[in-house]
Amino acid sequence: MSLSKHLNADHLIKDSQDHKSHIKSSTNHQATHAYGARYGTQPIPKYNIPSKGTDAESAYQLIHDELSLDGNPALNLASFVHTWMPKQADQLMLENISKNLIDQDEYPMTQVLHTRCVSILADLWHAPSSQQAIGTATTGSSEAIQLGGLAMKRIWQEKRKAAGKSIHEPGPNIVMGANAQVALEKFARYFDVECRLVPVSKESHYRLDPERAMQYVDENTIGVYVILGSTYTGHYEPVKEMATLLDKYEKESGNSVPIHVDGASGAFVAPFATPKLEWDFKIPRVVSINTSGHKFGLAYVGVGWVVWRAKQYLPKDLIFELHYLGSVEYSFSLNFSRPAHPIIAQYFNFVHLGFEGYRSVALDDLKNARLLSRALEKSGLFEVLSDIHRPVGSVMNGVTKAMGFDEENVENYVPGLPVVSFRFSDSYCGKYPEVQQKWVQTLLRAKGWIVPNYELAPDLQNTEILRVVVRENLSAVMVDRLVADIIEVVEGLAEQDSPTHALNALQSRRTVEGSHGKMDEGSGSKSNGTYAKQC
């Protein structure tokens, strides 16, 4: 058993401090800062409010220094969330940081920008009429997914009631791949809908298999969640193929099952990088789409979107008419108050980048993701599970081979997110069976890189992957450094006689501060694997 199980670091610090004669603090947890003498601050209790405050400059410096222990956002390759915007966007957000989006009468121009954003997305996703489409900003895709699911559930209930059928026995269900992110499962659990998870496999490219999904569809299915960009491997799920099978099912059974596209990441990549791909409102069965503005929408965290192809797909009883603050307002989001500055940041990007700007960023991201994928495969140390660097089958025909393959044309590759998922190659595992892949995550973190290692979806949970999300700030130069560090780490592991003890010790930072207020293991419901730990 490690010593950290027996020793309390906070108690050691407290007992080692200088004390006035016979006087001891009654507070066990205090933060004593290096600037105490300069700013004249007293030790600050960690877990209860101090009796006296600290001046703003001192408070800023003390908190600023503590936060320096966080990882570097630019090196956080685990997250899809965007981490940089131009200084002009920063200025706009700061100027509007106090505005509440819900106060439409007080901030009418902010509401106009919100409406413009919804119209831009509806047009980008080929809604039959961007004027008839309806949508709203959300905190992120999680809230947007709940709204899309609620609308489908309510429409299913209305149809059942009109047909004189029960809405309780056996009750509604929703179909999705087992690779679904936790937000999709949350909808089912929070709103009493049976969650039907379709197993994924290597043959299905670690994503939803439409043929298999149809085995889970029945008259009580409110809809199918189809994911445009799996958080595990970045694969796009085949929206058109799923829609075609549901069209056939409706002709045979009379049951109409809609599709909601979870485009948390892909809905801001596919329209720009691969505009010929059919996945959006061009497909009549797609009734709603969500996305995250703070992912490949290139805005800071705090903004998502959901758009319905037409008003008829958002039931009226989900829209609240509010007589509030001097005006009549309409609300159909889960939150009421909401900061306006993330929406303003999103509109800034639409104006600043335009279609060509977004396309350039998406193409660069995919190019760097292909670079990383090829380098890892060529090393012989890894197998790459994502496919965005692989040519599509139709490209490699005789004519193409004769004319030469254009490696810079994104249309020649399997479409997907700029995500690289990889694992130790079979040859490496066979040669060094004692080396655990999770050690790579730990050692890369020591070099500053945050690269997660985690299990694949249910039925594939014995397979662990490392995953890199290639965002705008990960340049080709940084990819070069990342590849060098990965190879150095993995080759170093192979050379160590007995790395187990040292790496197990490095694996986690066990501190009293790190465990205070956290839930014990087993406090939550058992995971079914739909939560990609870093997303």
Side-chain angles (χ1 to χ4, degrees):
M1 185 176 291
S2 64
L3 285 176
S4 61
K5 295 288 186 180
H6 303 288
L7 299 177
N8 185 303
D10 274 1
H11 289 169
L12 288 175
I13 295 296
K14 175 178 175 290
D15 293 340
S16 302
Q17 289 174 347
D18 293 336
H19 297 289
K20 293 182 180 180
S21 178
H22 305 298
I23 297 178
K24 292 188 177 180
S25 171
S26 60
T27 306
N28 288 329
H29 299 282
Q30 292 183 331
T32 303
H33 297 275
Y35 300 102
R38 178 172 297 190
Y39 292 129
T41 59
Q42 296 298 313
I44 301 170
K46 294 179 182 177
Y47 306 120
N48 53 285
I49 192 167
S51 57
K52 294 184 179 180
T54 303
D55 69 272
E57 182 181 357
S58 304
Y60 166 81
Q61 191 63 53
L62 301 179
I63 298 171
H64 170 84
D65 288 348
E66 284 200 61
L67 290 173
S68 67
L69 295 172
D70 278 344
N72 183 343
L75 301 181
N76 179 7
L77 309 183
S79 178
F80 286 87
V81 175
H82 195 65
T83 57
W84 175 86
M85 292 190 75
K87 63 180 182 179
Q88 293 83 357
D90 294 345
Q91 183 178 347
L92 266 177
M93 294 180 74
L94 188 61
E95 291 171 355
N96 293 278
I97 201 165
S98 61
K99 290 182 180 178
N100 187 355
L101 183 66
I102 201 64
D103 295 343
Q104 299 177 20
D105 192 57
E106 286 71 21
Y107 307 120
M109 198 59 217
T110 300
Q111 190 57 222
V112 168
L113 298 189
H114 170 271
T115 302
R116 289 179 187 173
C117 287
V118 171
S119 296
I120 288 170
L121 290 172
D123 180 68
L124 184 68
W125 298 337
H126 302 102
S129 169
S130 61
Q131 294 179 341
Q132 292 300 314
I134 188 170
T136 184
T138 60
T139 305
S141 278
S142 293
E143 181 187 357
I145 285 166
Q146 314 304 307
L147 293 171
L150 273 173
M152 292 192 297
K153 179 184 177 182
R154 197 57 55 111
I155 289 173
W156 173 85
Q157 288 175 328
E158 291 172 354
K159 287 181 178 179
R160 296 283 292 183
K161 290 177 181 177
K165 297 180 180 180
S166 172
I167 62 172
H168 302 295
E169 297 296 336
N173 67 71
I174 191 163
V175 175
M176 66 189 82
N179 58 308
Q181 206 262 356
V182 69
L184 283 71
E185 186 187 354
K186 276 186 177 180
F187 161 73
R189 188 180 300 183
Y190 289 173
F191 295 103
D192 296 323
V193 177
E194 179 192 351
C195 182
R196 294 187 173 180
L197 295 175
V198 183
V200 298
S201 64
K202 184 176 182 179
E203 291 70 30
S204 72
H205 301 285
Y206 312 99
R207 66 184 184 185
L208 179 75
D209 178 349
E211 292 279 357
R212 196 168 185 182
M214 291 306 300
Q215 300 171 19
Y216 294 77
V217 173
D218 59 28
E219 66 174 343
N220 296 305
T221 302
I222 66 171
V224 178
Y225 277 142
V226 184
I227 305 167
L228 197 72
S230 170
T231 55
Y232 287 97
T233 58
H235 286 99
Y236 289 162
E237 294 184 341
V239 183
K240 187 175 181 181
E241 183 180 344
M242 188 74 248
T244 300
L245 291 174
L246 290 172
D247 289 344
K248 181 181 178 183
Y249 172 75
E250 182 177 359
K251 287 180 181 179
E252 295 173 350
S253 67
N255 298 322
S256 178
V257 179
I259 289 175
H260 172 93
V261 175
D262 173 20
S265 295
F268 261 118
V269 176
F272 302 109
T274 51
K276 296 178 183 177
L277 182 69
E278 291 188 58
W279 64 273
D280 56 15
F281 291 130
K282 282 184 177 179
I283 301 171
R285 195 160 293 275
V286 174
V287 298
S288 50
I289 300 171
N290 71 271
T291 194
S292 293
H294 57 231
K295 293 178 182 173
F296 291 99
L298 308 181
Y300 287 130
V301 67
V303 59
W305 302 93
V306 59
V307 177
W308 288 267
R309 67 182 297 118
K311 294 176 182 178
Q312 70 196 72
Y313 297 102
L314 178 62
K316 279 189 174 182
D317 65 348
L318 293 182
I319 304 173
F320 287 80
E321 183 178 297
L322 309 171
H323 297 262
Y324 182 65
L325 299 181
S327 67
V328 177
E329 301 166 2
Y330 296 92
S331 173
F332 47 94
S333 58
L334 298 181
N335 279 16
F336 188 67
S337 291
R338 188 187 306 280
H341 62 270
I343 286 83
I344 295 170
Q346 183 74 82
Y347 185 68
F348 170 88
N349 278 340
F350 287 147
V351 174
H352 170 58
L353 291 170
F355 186 93
E356 288 302 321
Y358 268 107
R359 177 171 169 81
S360 294
V361 172
L363 293 181
D364 281 347
D365 289 348
L366 288 164
K367 183 176 182 179
N368 288 331
R370 293 196 299 270
L371 173 65
L372 176 59
S373 300
R374 293 178 186 133
L376 292 172
E377 280 193 336
K378 290 177 184 294
S379 73
L381 302 174
F382 299 101
E383 172 193 351
V384 177
L385 280 68
S386 45
D387 287 325
I388 43 90
H389 64 300
R390 306 189 202 284
V392 292
S394 60
V395 169
M396 300 306 291
N397 54 34
V399 176
T400 305
K401 289 178 180 177
M403 297 178 61
F405 178 68
D406 182 1
E407 292 189 347
E408 293 192 349
N409 185 357
V410 71
E411 299 288 349
N412 289 337
Y413 297 95
V414 175
L417 299 179
V419 168
V420 182
S421 296
F422 56 104
R423 59 184 291 270
F424 283 158
S425 64
D426 290 340
S427 61
Y428 184 89
C429 290
K431 196 171 182 180
Y432 307 105
E434 73 283 359
V435 176
Q436 297 184 41
Q437 189 170 283
K438 64 182 179 181
W439 295 345
V440 177
Q441 170 182 320
T442 304
L443 292 177
L444 285 176
R445 185 64 183 262
K447 292 177 176 289
W449 302 105
I450 303 175
V451 177
N453 180 85
Y454 58 96
E455 304 86 8
L456 282 175
D459 293 335
L460 296 172
Q461 63 267 27
N462 292 329
T463 300
E464 293 185 353
I465 60 170
L466 293 154
R467 188 193 70 189
V468 171
V469 180
V470 179
R471 303 193 308 273
E472 183 182 12
N473 63 303
L474 187 67
S475 64
V477 174
M478 292 178 71
V479 169
D480 180 42
R481 183 68 261 168
L482 174 62
V483 171
D485 284 343
I486 290 174
I487 291 175
E488 179 184 341
V489 163
V490 175
E491 288 184 339
L493 287 172
E495 293 171 2
Q496 300 299 321
D497 292 332
S498 180
T500 308
H501 176 76
L503 284 166
N504 281 335
L506 261 177
Q507 200 164 270
S508 61
R509 300 171 64 188
R510 296 185 177 91
T511 64
V512 175
E513 183 82 5
S515 61
H516 188 92
K518 286 192 174 181
M519 291 186 178
D520 296 330
E521 185 174 349
S523 297
S525 57
K526 187 176 180 181
S527 169
N528 63 15
T530 59
Y531 180 37
K533 294 181 179 64
Q534 287 83 8
C535 55

